[in-house]
mmCIF file with all atom_site columns, all heavy atoms in Angstrom:
data_model
loop_
_atom_site.group_PDB
_atom_site.id
_atom_site.type_symbol
_atom_site.label_atom_id
_atom_site.label_alt_id
_atom_site.label_comp_id
_atom_site.label_asym_id
_atom_site.label_entity_id
_atom_site.label_seq_id
_atom_site.pdbx_PDB_ins_code
_atom_site.Cartn_x
_atom_site.Cartn_y
_atom_site.Cartn_z
_atom_site.occupancy
_atom_site.B_iso_or_equiv
_atom_site.pdbx_formal_charge
_atom_site.auth_seq_id
_atom_site.auth_comp_id
_atom_site.auth_asym_id
_atom_site.auth_atom_id
_atom_site.pdbx_PDB_model_num
ATOM 1   N N   . ILE H 1 1  ? 3.135   0.150   2.278   1.00 0.00 ? 1  ILE H N   1
ATOM 2   C CA  . ILE H 1 1  ? 2.546   -0.752  3.267   1.00 0.00 ? 1  ILE H CA  1
ATOM 3   C C   . ILE H 1 1  ? 3.458   -1.953  3.450   1.00 0.00 ? 1  ILE H C   1
ATOM 4   O O   . ILE H 1 1  ? 3.709   -2.708  2.502   1.00 0.00 ? 1  ILE H O   1
ATOM 5   C CB  . ILE H 1 1  ? 1.149   -1.232  2.827   1.00 0.00 ? 1  ILE H CB  1
ATOM 6   C CG1 . ILE H 1 1  ? 0.221   -0.039  2.579   1.00 0.00 ? 1  ILE H CG1 1
ATOM 7   C CG2 . ILE H 1 1  ? 0.556   -2.170  3.879   1.00 0.00 ? 1  ILE H CG2 1
ATOM 8   C CD1 . ILE H 1 1  ? -1.114  -0.436  1.972   1.00 0.00 ? 1  ILE H CD1 1
ATOM 9   N N   . ALA H 1 2  ? 3.946   -2.138  4.671   1.00 0.00 ? 2  ALA H N   1
ATOM 10  C CA  . ALA H 1 2  ? 4.710   -3.338  5.027   1.00 0.00 ? 2  ALA H CA  1
ATOM 11  C C   . ALA H 1 2  ? 3.732   -4.369  5.577   1.00 0.00 ? 2  ALA H C   1
ATOM 12  O O   . ALA H 1 2  ? 2.983   -4.088  6.512   1.00 0.00 ? 2  ALA H O   1
ATOM 13  C CB  . ALA H 1 2  ? 5.779   -3.008  6.060   1.00 0.00 ? 2  ALA H CB  1
ATOM 14  N N   . GLN H 1 3  ? 3.721   -5.549  5.014   1.00 0.00 ? 3  GLN H N   1
ATOM 15  C CA  . GLN H 1 3  ? 2.791   -6.603  5.421   1.00 0.00 ? 3  GLN H CA  1
ATOM 16  C C   . GLN H 1 3  ? 3.546   -7.931  5.438   1.00 0.00 ? 3  GLN H C   1
ATOM 17  O O   . GLN H 1 3  ? 4.629   -8.063  4.878   1.00 0.00 ? 3  GLN H O   1
ATOM 18  C CB  . GLN H 1 3  ? 1.618   -6.675  4.441   1.00 0.00 ? 3  GLN H CB  1
ATOM 19  C CG  . GLN H 1 3  ? 0.435   -7.525  4.902   1.00 0.00 ? 3  GLN H CG  1
ATOM 20  C CD  . GLN H 1 3  ? -0.666  -7.609  3.843   1.00 0.00 ? 3  GLN H CD  1
ATOM 21  O OE1 . GLN H 1 3  ? -0.858  -6.678  3.060   1.00 0.00 ? 3  GLN H OE1 1
ATOM 22  N NE2 . GLN H 1 3  ? -1.388  -8.714  3.810   1.00 0.00 ? 3  GLN H NE2 1
ATOM 23  N N   . GLY H 1 4  ? 3.005   -8.934  6.097   1.00 0.00 ? 4  GLY H N   1
ATOM 24  C CA  . GLY H 1 4  ? 3.592   -10.270 6.096   1.00 0.00 ? 4  GLY H CA  1
ATOM 25  C C   . GLY H 1 4  ? 4.752   -10.451 7.054   1.00 0.00 ? 4  GLY H C   1
ATOM 26  O O   . GLY H 1 4  ? 5.354   -11.531 7.103   1.00 0.00 ? 4  GLY H O   1
ATOM 27  N N   . ILE H 1 5  ? 5.083   -9.430  7.817   1.00 0.00 ? 5  ILE H N   1
ATOM 28  C CA  . ILE H 1 5  ? 6.245   -9.496  8.713   1.00 0.00 ? 5  ILE H CA  1
ATOM 29  C C   . ILE H 1 5  ? 6.069   -10.584 9.754   1.00 0.00 ? 5  ILE H C   1
ATOM 30  O O   . ILE H 1 5  ? 6.974   -11.397 9.996   1.00 0.00 ? 5  ILE H O   1
ATOM 31  C CB  . ILE H 1 5  ? 6.472   -8.127  9.384   1.00 0.00 ? 5  ILE H CB  1
ATOM 32  C CG1 . ILE H 1 5  ? 6.786   -7.069  8.320   1.00 0.00 ? 5  ILE H CG1 1
ATOM 33  C CG2 . ILE H 1 5  ? 7.597   -8.212  10.417  1.00 0.00 ? 5  ILE H CG2 1
ATOM 34  C CD1 . ILE H 1 5  ? 6.748   -5.655  8.836   1.00 0.00 ? 5  ILE H CD1 1
ATOM 35  N N   . GLU H 1 6  ? 4.892   -10.650 10.366  1.00 0.00 ? 6  GLU H N   1
ATOM 36  C CA  . GLU H 1 6  ? 4.639   -11.632 11.425  1.00 0.00 ? 6  GLU H CA  1
ATOM 37  C C   . GLU H 1 6  ? 4.607   -13.052 10.882  1.00 0.00 ? 6  GLU H C   1
ATOM 38  O O   . GLU H 1 6  ? 4.761   -14.010 11.642  1.00 0.00 ? 6  GLU H O   1
ATOM 39  C CB  . GLU H 1 6  ? 3.312   -11.308 12.133  1.00 0.00 ? 6  GLU H CB  1
ATOM 40  C CG  . GLU H 1 6  ? 3.352   -10.050 12.978  1.00 0.00 ? 6  GLU H CG  1
ATOM 41  C CD  . GLU H 1 6  ? 3.277   -8.769  12.162  1.00 0.00 ? 6  GLU H CD  1
ATOM 42  O OE1 . GLU H 1 6  ? 2.989   -8.837  10.927  1.00 0.00 ? 6  GLU H OE1 1
ATOM 43  O OE2 . GLU H 1 6  ? 3.508   -7.692  12.723  1.00 0.00 ? 6  GLU H OE2 1
ATOM 44  N N   . MET H 1 7  ? 4.401   -13.215 9.588   1.00 0.00 ? 7  MET H N   1
ATOM 45  C CA  . MET H 1 7  ? 4.351   -14.529 8.968   1.00 0.00 ? 7  MET H CA  1
ATOM 46  C C   . MET H 1 7  ? 5.718   -14.993 8.466   1.00 0.00 ? 7  MET H C   1
ATOM 47  O O   . MET H 1 7  ? 5.854   -16.091 7.931   1.00 0.00 ? 7  MET H O   1
ATOM 48  C CB  . MET H 1 7  ? 3.368   -14.514 7.797   1.00 0.00 ? 7  MET H CB  1
ATOM 49  C CG  . MET H 1 7  ? 1.945   -14.140 8.158   1.00 0.00 ? 7  MET H CG  1
ATOM 50  S SD  . MET H 1 7  ? 0.883   -14.055 6.696   1.00 0.00 ? 7  MET H SD  1
ATOM 51  C CE  . MET H 1 7  ? 0.835   -15.791 6.221   1.00 0.00 ? 7  MET H CE  1
ATOM 52  N N   . GLY H 1 8  ? 6.722   -14.139 8.587   1.00 0.00 ? 8  GLY H N   1
ATOM 53  C CA  . GLY H 1 8  ? 8.027   -14.469 8.051   1.00 0.00 ? 8  GLY H CA  1
ATOM 54  C C   . GLY H 1 8  ? 8.113   -14.321 6.547   1.00 0.00 ? 8  GLY H C   1
ATOM 55  O O   . GLY H 1 8  ? 9.026   -14.859 5.913   1.00 0.00 ? 8  GLY H O   1
ATOM 56  N N   . ARG H 1 9  ? 7.164   -13.569 5.943   1.00 0.00 ? 9  ARG H N   1
ATOM 57  C CA  . ARG H 1 9  ? 7.172   -13.317 4.501   1.00 0.00 ? 9  ARG H CA  1
ATOM 58  C C   . ARG H 1 9  ? 7.012   -11.811 4.279   1.00 0.00 ? 9  ARG H C   1
ATOM 59  O O   . ARG H 1 9  ? 5.954   -11.338 3.814   1.00 0.00 ? 9  ARG H O   1
ATOM 60  C CB  . ARG H 1 9  ? 6.063   -14.093 3.793   1.00 0.00 ? 9  ARG H CB  1
ATOM 61  C CG  . ARG H 1 9  ? 6.167   -15.615 3.940   1.00 0.00 ? 9  ARG H CG  1
ATOM 62  C CD  . ARG H 1 9  ? 5.274   -16.322 2.933   1.00 0.00 ? 9  ARG H CD  1
ATOM 63  N NE  . ARG H 1 9  ? 5.732   -16.089 1.577   1.00 0.00 ? 9  ARG H NE  1
ATOM 64  C CZ  . ARG H 1 9  ? 6.589   -16.883 0.920   1.00 0.00 ? 9  ARG H CZ  1
ATOM 65  N NH1 . ARG H 1 9  ? 7.091   -17.945 1.520   1.00 0.00 ? 9  ARG H NH1 1
ATOM 66  N NH2 . ARG H 1 9  ? 6.948   -16.612 -0.319  1.00 0.00 ? 9  ARG H NH2 1
ATOM 67  N N   . PRO H 1 10 ? 8.043   -11.037 4.618   1.00 0.00 ? 10 PRO H N   1
ATOM 68  C CA  . PRO H 1 10 ? 7.929   -9.584  4.498   1.00 0.00 ? 10 PRO H CA  1
ATOM 69  C C   . PRO H 1 10 ? 7.592   -9.140  3.088   1.00 0.00 ? 10 PRO H C   1
ATOM 70  O O   . PRO H 1 10 ? 8.170   -9.621  2.106   1.00 0.00 ? 10 PRO H O   1
ATOM 71  C CB  . PRO H 1 10 ? 9.310   -9.082  4.947   1.00 0.00 ? 10 PRO H CB  1
ATOM 72  C CG  . PRO H 1 10 ? 10.219  -10.263 4.809   1.00 0.00 ? 10 PRO H CG  1
ATOM 73  C CD  . PRO H 1 10 ? 9.368   -11.465 5.065   1.00 0.00 ? 10 PRO H CD  1
ATOM 74  N N   . SER H 1 11 ? 6.652   -8.210  3.002   1.00 0.00 ? 11 SER H N   1
ATOM 75  C CA  . SER H 1 11 ? 6.154   -7.727  1.719   1.00 0.00 ? 11 SER H CA  1
ATOM 76  C C   . SER H 1 11 ? 6.101   -6.208  1.752   1.00 0.00 ? 11 SER H C   1
ATOM 77  O O   . SER H 1 11 ? 5.963   -5.595  2.812   1.00 0.00 ? 11 SER H O   1
ATOM 78  C CB  . SER H 1 11 ? 4.745   -8.273  1.455   1.00 0.00 ? 11 SER H CB  1
ATOM 79  O OG  . SER H 1 11 ? 4.698   -9.676  1.627   1.00 0.00 ? 11 SER H OG  1
ATOM 80  N N   . LEU H 1 12 ? 6.179   -5.600  0.570   1.00 0.00 ? 12 LEU H N   1
ATOM 81  C CA  . LEU H 1 12 ? 6.079   -4.150  0.472   1.00 0.00 ? 12 LEU H CA  1
ATOM 82  C C   . LEU H 1 12 ? 5.165   -3.804  -0.699  1.00 0.00 ? 12 LEU H C   1
ATOM 83  O O   . LEU H 1 12 ? 5.427   -4.175  -1.845  1.00 0.00 ? 12 LEU H O   1
ATOM 84  C CB  . LEU H 1 12 ? 7.460   -3.526  0.252   1.00 0.00 ? 12 LEU H CB  1
ATOM 85  C CG  . LEU H 1 12 ? 7.486   -1.993  0.246   1.00 0.00 ? 12 LEU H CG  1
ATOM 86  C CD1 . LEU H 1 12 ? 7.073   -1.442  1.616   1.00 0.00 ? 12 LEU H CD1 1
ATOM 87  C CD2 . LEU H 1 12 ? 8.878   -1.483  -0.127  1.00 0.00 ? 12 LEU H CD2 1
ATOM 88  N N   . LEU H 1 13 ? 4.088   -3.086  -0.396  1.00 0.00 ? 13 LEU H N   1
ATOM 89  C CA  . LEU H 1 13 ? 3.115   -2.667  -1.400  1.00 0.00 ? 13 LEU H CA  1
ATOM 90  C C   . LEU H 1 13 ? 3.135   -1.150  -1.497  1.00 0.00 ? 13 LEU H C   1
ATOM 91  O O   . LEU H 1 13 ? 3.089   -0.450  -0.471  1.00 0.00 ? 13 LEU H O   1
ATOM 92  C CB  . LEU H 1 13 ? 1.701   -3.132  -1.029  1.00 0.00 ? 13 LEU H CB  1
ATOM 93  C CG  . LEU H 1 13 ? 1.462   -4.635  -0.894  1.00 0.00 ? 13 LEU H CG  1
ATOM 94  C CD1 . LEU H 1 13 ? 1.849   -5.135  0.498   1.00 0.00 ? 13 LEU H CD1 1
ATOM 95  C CD2 . LEU H 1 13 ? 0.006   -4.982  -1.153  1.00 0.00 ? 13 LEU H CD2 1
ATOM 96  N N   . GLU H 1 14 ? 3.218   -0.645  -2.715  1.00 0.00 ? 14 GLU H N   1
ATOM 97  C CA  . GLU H 1 14 ? 3.211   0.800   -2.957  1.00 0.00 ? 14 GLU H CA  1
ATOM 98  C C   . GLU H 1 14 ? 1.835   1.208   -3.472  1.00 0.00 ? 14 GLU H C   1
ATOM 99  O O   . GLU H 1 14 ? 1.322   0.629   -4.424  1.00 0.00 ? 14 GLU H O   1
ATOM 100 C CB  . GLU H 1 14 ? 4.290   1.166   -3.982  1.00 0.00 ? 14 GLU H CB  1
ATOM 101 C CG  . GLU H 1 14 ? 5.705   0.736   -3.608  1.00 0.00 ? 14 GLU H CG  1
ATOM 102 C CD  . GLU H 1 14 ? 6.285   1.508   -2.437  1.00 0.00 ? 14 GLU H CD  1
ATOM 103 O OE1 . GLU H 1 14 ? 5.690   2.542   -2.057  1.00 0.00 ? 14 GLU H OE1 1
ATOM 104 O OE2 . GLU H 1 14 ? 7.331   1.088   -1.909  1.00 0.00 ? 14 GLU H OE2 1
ATOM 105 N N   . VAL H 1 15 ? 1.245   2.212   -2.816  1.00 0.00 ? 15 VAL H N   1
ATOM 106 C CA  . VAL H 1 15 ? -0.122  2.632   -3.134  1.00 0.00 ? 15 VAL H CA  1
ATOM 107 C C   . VAL H 1 15 ? -0.125  4.106   -3.528  1.00 0.00 ? 15 VAL H C   1
ATOM 108 O O   . VAL H 1 15 ? 0.562   4.932   -2.916  1.00 0.00 ? 15 VAL H O   1
ATOM 109 C CB  . VAL H 1 15 ? -1.056  2.428   -1.925  1.00 0.00 ? 15 VAL H CB  1
ATOM 110 C CG1 . VAL H 1 15 ? -2.493  2.813   -2.277  1.00 0.00 ? 15 VAL H CG1 1
ATOM 111 C CG2 . VAL H 1 15 ? -0.990  0.996   -1.438  1.00 0.00 ? 15 VAL H CG2 1
ATOM 112 N N   . GLU H 1 16 ? -0.887  4.427   -4.561  1.00 0.00 ? 16 GLU H N   1
ATOM 113 C CA  . GLU H 1 16 ? -1.078  5.806   -4.988  1.00 0.00 ? 16 GLU H CA  1
ATOM 114 C C   . GLU H 1 16 ? -2.568  6.089   -5.146  1.00 0.00 ? 16 GLU H C   1
ATOM 115 O O   . GLU H 1 16 ? -3.332  5.204   -5.558  1.00 0.00 ? 16 GLU H O   1
ATOM 116 C CB  . GLU H 1 16 ? -0.391  6.065   -6.339  1.00 0.00 ? 16 GLU H CB  1
ATOM 117 C CG  . GLU H 1 16 ? 1.112   5.894   -6.320  1.00 0.00 ? 16 GLU H CG  1
ATOM 118 C CD  . GLU H 1 16 ? 1.743   6.112   -7.684  1.00 0.00 ? 16 GLU H CD  1
ATOM 119 O OE1 . GLU H 1 16 ? 0.981   6.191   -8.688  1.00 0.00 ? 16 GLU H OE1 1
ATOM 120 O OE2 . GLU H 1 16 ? 2.972   6.214   -7.751  1.00 0.00 ? 16 GLU H OE2 1
ATOM 121 N N   . ALA H 1 17 ? -2.970  7.318   -4.841  1.00 0.00 ? 17 ALA H N   1
ATOM 122 C CA  . ALA H 1 17 ? -4.351  7.747   -5.049  1.00 0.00 ? 17 ALA H CA  1
ATOM 123 C C   . ALA H 1 17 ? -4.342  9.140   -5.658  1.00 0.00 ? 17 ALA H C   1
ATOM 124 O O   . ALA H 1 17 ? -3.646  10.035  -5.160  1.00 0.00 ? 17 ALA H O   1
ATOM 125 C CB  . ALA H 1 17 ? -5.124  7.752   -3.741  1.00 0.00 ? 17 ALA H CB  1
ATOM 126 N N   . ASP H 1 18 ? -5.084  9.319   -6.735  1.00 0.00 ? 18 ASP H N   1
ATOM 127 C CA  . ASP H 1 18 ? -5.226  10.630  -7.368  1.00 0.00 ? 18 ASP H CA  1
ATOM 128 C C   . ASP H 1 18 ? -6.496  11.294  -6.853  1.00 0.00 ? 18 ASP H C   1
ATOM 129 O O   . ASP H 1 18 ? -7.550  10.644  -6.726  1.00 0.00 ? 18 ASP H O   1
ATOM 130 C CB  . ASP H 1 18 ? -5.325  10.486  -8.888  1.00 0.00 ? 18 ASP H CB  1
ATOM 131 C CG  . ASP H 1 18 ? -4.056  9.942   -9.517  1.00 0.00 ? 18 ASP H CG  1
ATOM 132 O OD1 . ASP H 1 18 ? -2.980  10.040  -8.878  1.00 0.00 ? 18 ASP H OD1 1
ATOM 133 O OD2 . ASP H 1 18 ? -4.143  9.419   -10.650 1.00 0.00 ? 18 ASP H OD2 1
ATOM 134 N N   . LYS H 1 19 ? -6.406  12.610  -6.587  1.00 0.00 ? 19 LYS H N   1
ATOM 135 C CA  . LYS H 1 19 ? -7.570  13.386  -6.186  1.00 0.00 ? 19 LYS H CA  1
ATOM 136 C C   . LYS H 1 19 ? -7.691  14.610  -7.082  1.00 0.00 ? 19 LYS H C   1
ATOM 137 O O   . LYS H 1 19 ? -6.695  15.279  -7.378  1.00 0.00 ? 19 LYS H O   1
ATOM 138 C CB  . LYS H 1 19 ? -7.464  13.811  -4.712  1.00 0.00 ? 19 LYS H CB  1
ATOM 139 C CG  . LYS H 1 19 ? -7.542  12.649  -3.731  1.00 0.00 ? 19 LYS H CG  1
ATOM 140 C CD  . LYS H 1 19 ? -7.451  13.110  -2.279  1.00 0.00 ? 19 LYS H CD  1
ATOM 141 C CE  . LYS H 1 19 ? -8.713  13.812  -1.824  1.00 0.00 ? 19 LYS H CE  1
ATOM 142 N NZ  . LYS H 1 19 ? -8.647  14.137  -0.367  1.00 0.00 ? 19 LYS H NZ  1
ATOM 143 N N   . ARG H 1 20 ? -8.906  14.870  -7.509  1.00 0.00 ? 20 ARG H N   1
ATOM 144 C CA  . ARG H 1 20 ? -9.210  16.049  -8.315  1.00 0.00 ? 20 ARG H CA  1
ATOM 145 C C   . ARG H 1 20 ? -10.442 16.714  -7.712  1.00 0.00 ? 20 ARG H C   1
ATOM 146 O O   . ARG H 1 20 ? -11.501 16.087  -7.608  1.00 0.00 ? 20 ARG H O   1
ATOM 147 C CB  . ARG H 1 20 ? -9.484  15.660  -9.778  1.00 0.00 ? 20 ARG H CB  1
ATOM 148 C CG  . ARG H 1 20 ? -8.300  14.958  -10.463 1.00 0.00 ? 20 ARG H CG  1
ATOM 149 C CD  . ARG H 1 20 ? -7.139  15.911  -10.707 1.00 0.00 ? 20 ARG H CD  1
ATOM 150 N NE  . ARG H 1 20 ? -6.022  15.234  -11.374 1.00 0.00 ? 20 ARG H NE  1
ATOM 151 C CZ  . ARG H 1 20 ? -4.999  14.682  -10.735 1.00 0.00 ? 20 ARG H CZ  1
ATOM 152 N NH1 . ARG H 1 20 ? -4.964  14.718  -9.394  1.00 0.00 ? 20 ARG H NH1 1
ATOM 153 N NH2 . ARG H 1 20 ? -4.023  14.096  -11.404 1.00 0.00 ? 20 ARG H NH2 1
ATOM 154 N N   . GLY H 1 21 ? -10.307 17.961  -7.329  1.00 0.00 ? 21 GLY H N   1
ATOM 155 C CA  . GLY H 1 21 ? -11.418 18.663  -6.695  1.00 0.00 ? 21 GLY H CA  1
ATOM 156 C C   . GLY H 1 21 ? -11.885 17.987  -5.421  1.00 0.00 ? 21 GLY H C   1
ATOM 157 O O   . GLY H 1 21 ? -13.071 18.035  -5.085  1.00 0.00 ? 21 GLY H O   1
ATOM 158 N N   . GLY H 1 22 ? -10.957 17.361  -4.705  1.00 0.00 ? 22 GLY H N   1
ATOM 159 C CA  . GLY H 1 22 ? -11.290 16.689  -3.457  1.00 0.00 ? 22 GLY H CA  1
ATOM 160 C C   . GLY H 1 22 ? -11.893 15.314  -3.640  1.00 0.00 ? 22 GLY H C   1
ATOM 161 O O   . GLY H 1 22 ? -12.211 14.641  -2.655  1.00 0.00 ? 22 GLY H O   1
ATOM 162 N N   . VAL H 1 23 ? -12.032 14.854  -4.886  1.00 0.00 ? 23 VAL H N   1
ATOM 163 C CA  . VAL H 1 23 ? -12.649 13.563  -5.184  1.00 0.00 ? 23 VAL H CA  1
ATOM 164 C C   . VAL H 1 23 ? -11.571 12.578  -5.640  1.00 0.00 ? 23 VAL H C   1
ATOM 165 O O   . VAL H 1 23 ? -10.686 12.927  -6.430  1.00 0.00 ? 23 VAL H O   1
ATOM 166 C CB  . VAL H 1 23 ? -13.725 13.708  -6.283  1.00 0.00 ? 23 VAL H CB  1
ATOM 167 C CG1 . VAL H 1 23 ? -14.306 12.351  -6.652  1.00 0.00 ? 23 VAL H CG1 1
ATOM 168 C CG2 . VAL H 1 23 ? -14.819 14.663  -5.822  1.00 0.00 ? 23 VAL H CG2 1
ATOM 169 N N   . ILE H 1 24 ? -11.644 11.347  -5.135  1.00 0.00 ? 24 ILE H N   1
ATOM 170 C CA  . ILE H 1 24 ? -10.708 10.308  -5.551  1.00 0.00 ? 24 ILE H CA  1
ATOM 171 C C   . ILE H 1 24 ? -11.045 9.886   -6.983  1.00 0.00 ? 24 ILE H C   1
ATOM 172 O O   . ILE H 1 24 ? -12.171 9.483   -7.274  1.00 0.00 ? 24 ILE H O   1
ATOM 173 C CB  . ILE H 1 24 ? -10.785 9.087   -4.614  1.00 0.00 ? 24 ILE H CB  1
ATOM 174 C CG1 . ILE H 1 24 ? -10.432 9.492   -3.179  1.00 0.00 ? 24 ILE H CG1 1
ATOM 175 C CG2 . ILE H 1 24 ? -9.859  7.970   -5.086  1.00 0.00 ? 24 ILE H CG2 1
ATOM 176 C CD1 . ILE H 1 24 ? -10.725 8.415   -2.152  1.00 0.00 ? 24 ILE H CD1 1
#
């Protein structure tokens, strides 16, 4: 996720989600 670009403070967030049997 790129965020903060419009504010002049570019940020990068890395997100992970595990799923088992279709459930988070």
Side-chain angles (χ1 to χ4, degrees):
I1 303 173
Q3 192 183 330
I5 298 168
E6 290 77 11
M7 301 177 68
R9 299 195 66 92
S11 309
L12 185 64
L13 299 84
E14 303 291 347
V15 182
E16 297 178 349
D18 295 339
K19 293 181 72 175
R20 300 290 181 267
V23 176
I24 300 170

